[in-house]
Amino acid sequence: MLLLLLALLCSIWGEPARCLEEDGVFSFQGDLRLLTVGNSSVYIATEEKLYQLSHDLTLVHSLTQRGILKKTDQPDKEEFYRDPMEAAWNAAFRVNVLIPFVNNDTLISCGVTNKDCGFCEVLDLKNISRLVYSEAFQVGPRRSSRGSVSFLVDVKEDSGLTQTYILTAIQKHRDKAEDKCGTDLRTINLQNTNKEQNGDIFSWSGRSGDKPGIQTEADVEFVDGFQISSTVYLFSNVASGGETNKVRLIWLQAETSKKQTLDSFHGATLSSSDGGEGSRLLASSVIPGGQRVLWSGVFSVDGGEANTELLLFDISPDQIKEMKGDPHFFPPPKTADPSSVPVALKPKAVLFKQNLMSSVLAVRLNGWIVFFIGTADGQLIKLSVDRNYQPSCPKILYRTSGDNKVFPKIQLDPVDQKHVYVPFKNQVRRVPVSKCSTYQNVKDCLSAQDPFCVWCVSKKSCAFKDDCIASEWLSIPDESKQKIVSHRFLKDSTGAMKIIIQTHLTMAKVQSNFSCDFSTTSTQLCKNPGPQPVYPQCTCILNDPFPAADLDVTIKISLGDVFLTEQIKMINCSGIHGQPSFHLCQQCIRAGCGWRQNSCSWATDPAQNDSICANVELFGMNFSKPEISSITPSVVSFYGRNHAVLSGRNLRDVTRVRIKADLDCDPKEAPVWNNNGSSLMFHIPRTETKGRVKVCVLLPDRSCHGSFTITYQSSPVCSDIKPSSSWRSGSRKITVYGTHLDLVEGITHSHTPQGVIIPLTSSYQNLVYETPAAKNAQDSSSIVRLKVANETLECSTRITYYPDPVFSSFKAVKEGKDVRIVIQKKADNLEMTTEELSVEGIQNENTYPCIINKESSNKTETFTCKIQGLQNADFEAVKINFGKATINLRTLSLPHKAVLILRLLLIPCVIAGSKAEGLSG
């Protein structure tokens, strides 16, 4: 009995760490409701459980969210109790507020029980199985936590003491649900955190017993909120009357008292990049540190979830202007003022455009801001932005094979600050912010353009900066550069030709022994002695004459104990010529030359970059510009697609197809074939990132023309196969179930890996194909694989092969104006359906279609079919078709029937004779 009780208690207060599937992953029961991270633990509230995990996602404690309700001393109030007897459960506790109160060593967990009545628990922060206090009280929303926010706010009161309250901003619907529990919370409230505060714990009353708050009559969905110093920031989507959605920011000054804090609010409206109306805020993150308060938001451009952009705003409170009222929010007894116009804030920068962004976390690192962006199709993207708000190329830190949405919010590990917690519907992942150790040399380490990574000189390894202790280090500067070493070919005012080498690095200490060595395989390149190198620049004054042919030059750069080698090609800049174009200009600048008066020449400005090429136009174009009208298919998985068809006009001279993302990072090119001028074929290459990319076509001069979009989606996922068996002769129709199955190009079976089967039909959720025949009797089962471009994706369900069905006999019977045919089949494991059979009756060399029904028994399966409008039931045979097999089942002739009857009559005689011989023996 004691063992049983212990087992029951374990099911309530804890469970083994079976959910820890691998390092950094925790899967849980029920759908995620809330995730929060404290200094010592991670806390997860789901529909079924409340979990406490260590920072490495090892399970520490878990509580069931099922139990019973008991009456209290107060009328109409019931307390929630967890109960070990599952049969006695009659209530669920749905958590909508989950806040670690670190200064009080408690975890505040509030939500609703049955009847949507409020209930709160205060738990021990280090051991959630220890209940500190509980009460039936409404804190936060009665519906889902989605669209509402709650967090702790410190208010410095006029007494000089600082009081901590729970700010609850509750989603507001115009179709307000009936409140069965008598709650009169406002839209925005400040609620107590301890019993010593005025009005007792959880109360929203002020000092005088009033109930201060902020109210609205509009539809409001809150997205985020936080406090910096004495200013509180709240972000929401607001729709009022027939107006389109507006993204609103509210400032509060947390001073003096609850009432003063809530009455101090001022508002602003945030606009998207195009300034149009109808945009929607999906996720947000404040950018820590800095003199100004910077904030980033994921905006939906059109109000949906697909077309999204990441915007940067300055939301410093000094932008507040005095307002007599607000069009949406008001502190009762005042009312909203529709004529009031909040201050409009425009974004400082558009940082990133990417489909389906759903979550964001910002981290400041020296002069960089690093964004961790979650998407609704299961990606975690890292985007580093320099001090000029110029983004570097995004990197994929994690990607699901399917469309598993990243929930708000991504959170940083507060202890090591080297991992982020990424929430999904049924699991949380702990993902490293960088993998510095994967870069094996100094050039790879710094070329990765990762602000988290430095080259640790003493260890000769790439590492996090705080792991490089008592050592010199090199890192990237706080400006986004594609190269750590650049070069320019310069001609000065005296006519001297120079090669200028510039390093783009940040050093722990500027090295005094900085030097560069220029060498070629054939000639003394630089005049000796030359100018002394001064970090970060080296100069080589070329010997006369200038080489007639292009020359490969090796530069060895020394920075203390670190050595970098750079290979460049020295060319005659005036040899880069042709019709002025963006591509020709870009080719010129990237070769180290200068662009002036629409032509390439020796550089005169060592700092010129290819941004100057943006304004270069085509001159004297003597060809018809290629145009793209379609690409089939234009939606593919991230594995790409073979044999895509591009159609358009003037394609005859196209040599390659170029595919590039929004930031022009890592453009890919694919050769073309079967080009007839109006269409061509090419392979769509694989990518690391899901989302939209731009496509143009290349001409021999490397100029790129036309514009079209390809969308990369998740790869196909196979979740089930029905039926999961086939007859050996093959051609049984099989349905594969899953997601993105419309992107499958073919199917293979493990016993015939070279035979690619084209699907008969396919859609997003299912695909139909015909099985190949088994090669021999040893082929009892086969693995099904989906072919996507050059990848094969394995299904977990196998196809089992059984012998072909055996049909033993048939009988035709006249029924009214129709003929019913009964077909006997030996029982097997194929679970054949009537849809897989077609039957025809053969009479006097004529065939008649027969409509099928099915009946079954333990040993035989009986199929019946009906031939309509036929008077004669005398059939010589029936033709049975399944897959691509055909069986002609014939009736027995009279002689055959007589022989069969005689054999049956002789069987008892044979048996009796055998017994007699046995007895005589």
Side-chain angles (χ1 to χ4, degrees), residues 13-319:
W13 299 108
E15 58 184 33
R18 60 177 177 77
C19 301
L20 192 63
E21 298 170 350
E22 55 189 82
D23 290 344
V25 185
F26 184 82
S27 299
F28 40 76
Q29 295 181 25
D31 293 348
L32 177 70
R33 294 186 71 84
L34 290 168
L35 164 73
T36 188
V37 181
N39 290 336
S40 59
S41 297
V42 176
Y43 307 94
I44 300 170
T46 75
E47 298 285 352
E48 301 292 334
K49 298 274 187 176
L50 178 64
Y51 297 96
Q52 179 184 350
L53 314 174
S54 62
H55 279 158
D56 64 359
L57 297 186
T58 300
L59 183 64
V60 178
H61 297 286
S62 73
L63 306 178
T64 180
Q65 299 292 63
R66 306 286 178 177
I68 59 173
L69 292 176
K70 293 182 180 179
K71 294 288 184 181
T72 66
D73 296 337
Q74 301 180 48
D76 300 325
K77 284 200 172 184
E78 294 178 314
E79 294 275 358
F80 173 79
Y81 292 89
R82 292 178 175 85
D83 194 293
M85 301 302 294
E86 183 175 349
W89 290 353
N90 65 1
F93 179 28
R94 301 188 301 279
V95 175
N96 294 326
V97 174
L98 191 66
I99 304 174
F101 190 179
V102 177
N103 292 341
N104 201 36
D105 286 329
T106 56
L107 178 70
I108 300 172
S109 171
C110 295
V112 294
T113 58
N114 293 25
K115 302 178 185 178
D116 288 340
C117 290
F119 184 74
C120 280
E121 291 181 324
V122 179
L123 306 172
D124 188 322
L125 194 63
K126 296 178 181 177
N127 182 356
I128 62 169
S129 64
R130 195 174 82 81
L131 179 65
V132 177
Y133 179 79
S134 67
E135 183 179 348
F137 206 100
Q138 186 69 49
V139 175
R142 290 188 296 111
R143 300 189 182 194
S144 165
S145 59
R146 179 188 173 96
S148 301
V149 299
S150 55
F151 54 96
L152 296 180
V153 169
D154 290 330
V155 176
K156 188 174 182 180
E157 302 203 338
D158 47 15
S159 64
L161 296 175
T162 297
Q163 295 287 351
T164 301
Y165 301 112
I166 306 168
L167 186 146
T168 55
I170 302 171
Q171 183 177 23
K172 174 74 165 52
H173 292 276
R174 264 173 280 170
D175 56 337
K176 186 176 179 181
E178 180 186 354
D179 186 354
K180 300 176 182 177
C181 304
T183 305
D184 55 352
L185 284 174
R186 309 290 190 189
T187 305
I188 303 172
N189 313 272
L190 288 173
Q191 299 185 243
N192 293 345
T193 55
N194 63 67
K195 299 178 74 66
E196 284 69 40
Q197 291 169 330
N198 288 313
D200 212 342
I201 189 170
F202 304 133
S203 170
W204 60 93
S205 299
R207 294 176 189 166
S208 60
D210 59 335
K211 294 182 177 178
I214 298 173
Q215 192 62 288
T216 183
E217 296 301 326
D219 281 355
V220 177
E221 174 196 44
F222 290 96
V223 178
D224 198 7
F226 47 83
Q227 181 179 14
I228 298 176
S229 299
S230 61
T231 305
V232 176
Y233 303 79
L234 270 175
F235 300 87
S236 63
N237 294 303
V238 178
S240 179
E243 296 179 2
T244 55
N245 185 77
K246 287 181 172 57
V247 179
R248 295 296 313 276
L249 163 62
I250 288 178
W251 290 280
L252 303 173
Q253 290 304 308
E255 295 173 347
T256 308
S257 65
K258 282 185 184 179
K259 180 172 175 54
Q260 284 292 104
T261 298
L262 293 166
D263 285 352
S264 69
F265 85 91
H266 289 83
T269 300
L270 308 179
S271 64
S272 59
S273 60
D274 61 4
E277 294 188 344
S279 63
R280 190 174 189 83
L281 180 63
L282 302 179
S284 102
S285 176
V286 68
I287 297 162
Q291 294 181 343
R292 306 290 295 174
V293 180
L294 298 181
W295 170 87
S296 60
V298 173
F299 282 71
S300 161
V301 176
D302 53 11
E305 293 189 355
N307 189 7
T308 54
E309 57 186 11
L310 180 64
L311 305 181
L312 179 73
F313 286 82
D314 182 344
I315 59 167
S316 301
D318 56 11
Q319 301 175 86

Side-chain angles (χ1 to χ4, degrees), residues 896-908:
H896 283 91
K897 287 180 181 178
V899 170
L900 180 60
I901 292 169
L902 182 60
R903 286 175 177 172
L904 292 172
L905 291 172
L906 287 174
I907 288 172

Side-chain angles (χ1 to χ4, degrees), residues 1 29 143 476 679 859 864 891:
M1 186 64 188
Q29 295 181 25
R143 300 189 182 194
I476 59 174
S679 68
K859 295 184 179 180
T864 64
T891 57

Side-chain angles (χ1 to χ4, degrees), residues 333-541:
K334 295 180 181 180
T335 58
D337 180 5
S339 64
S340 176
V341 180
V343 63
L345 300 183
K346 295 182 178 180
K348 287 179 68 69
V350 179
L351 300 175
F352 191 45
K353 292 185 177 182
Q354 167 79 23
N355 278 7
L356 299 169
M357 289 188 285
S358 60
S359 186
V360 63
L361 168 69
V363 176
R364 192 184 287 272
L365 206 65
N366 303 320
W368 290 85
I369 304 170
V370 183
F371 296 92
F372 299 93
I373 302 162
T375 68
D377 56 358
Q379 297 181 99
L380 178 63
I381 302 170
K382 181 169 75 173
L383 181 74
S384 300
V385 176
D386 70 11
R387 58 183 171 88
N388 298 316
Y389 309 130
Q390 292 299 311
S392 60
C393 291
K395 294 180 173 63
I396 301 296
L397 293 185
Y398 176 73
R399 181 184 67 190
T400 64
S401 57
D403 291 338
N404 301 321
K405 180 178 180 178
V406 177
F407 283 33
K409 285 189 159 190
I410 300 170
Q411 298 193 47
L412 183 69
D413 187 323
V415 177
D416 74 1
Q417 299 196 348
K418 296 175 184 175
H419 295 83
V420 291
Y421 296 99
V422 187
F424 295 93
K425 183 178 180 181
N426 299 114
Q427 70 173 208
V428 170
R429 285 186 172 266
R430 184 174 184 256
V431 179
V433 298
S434 185
K435 295 183 179 179
C436 302
S437 60
T438 60
Y439 304 113
Q440 298 300 309
N441 56 62
V442 59
K443 189 171 183 179
D444 289 347
C445 178
L446 300 176
S447 296
Q449 293 286 295
D450 191 331
F452 286 98
C453 299
V454 301
W455 181 257
C456 194
V457 177
S458 63
K459 294 182 178 180
K460 295 182 180 180
S461 65
C462 195
F464 286 94
K465 185 177 177 180
D466 58 0
D467 290 338
C468 187
I469 302 170
S471 172
E472 301 291 337
W473 51 261
L474 300 176
S475 71
I476 59 174
D478 55 3
E479 273 189 295
S480 181
K481 299 286 184 182
Q482 294 302 313
K483 292 185 175 182
I484 58 174
V485 178
S486 64
H487 70 278
R488 304 289 285 160
F489 298 124
L490 203 72
K491 179 185 265 190
D492 65 14
S493 57
T494 67
M497 306 292 297
K498 303 176 181 179
I499 304 176
I500 296 179
I501 297 297
Q502 182 91 16
T503 60
H504 306 283
L505 299 169
T506 297
M507 306 175 68
K509 183 174 72 174
V510 175
Q511 299 291 336
S512 58
N513 57 344
F514 172 68
S515 65
C516 299
D517 176 64
F518 297 81
S519 63
T520 67
T521 56
S522 58
T523 165
Q524 177 68 34
L525 186 67
C526 305
K527 289 184 177 180
N528 200 1
Q532 283 294 316
V534 178
Y535 178 82
Q537 196 175 90
C538 295
T539 302
C540 165
I541 300 176

Side-chain angles (χ1 to χ4, degrees), residues 6 44 164 274 361 399 548 551 579 622 716 725 744 765 812 824 883:
L6 285 172
I44 300 170
T164 301
D274 61 4
L361 168 69
R399 181 184 67 190
L551 192 64
Q579 292 177 345
N622 58 5
S725 64
V744 173
Q765 291 186 319
Q824 298 292 332

Side-chain angles (χ1 to χ4, degrees), residues 726 730-734 747 749 757-760 767-773 801 883-884:
S726 176
S731 296
R732 188 176 195 181
K733 286 185 180 178
I734 301 294
I747 301 96
H749 276 223
I757 307 156
I758 304 302
L760 300 175
L767 172 154
V768 178
Y769 76 100
E770 291 184 348
T771 56
Y801 277 92
K884 287 187 171 60

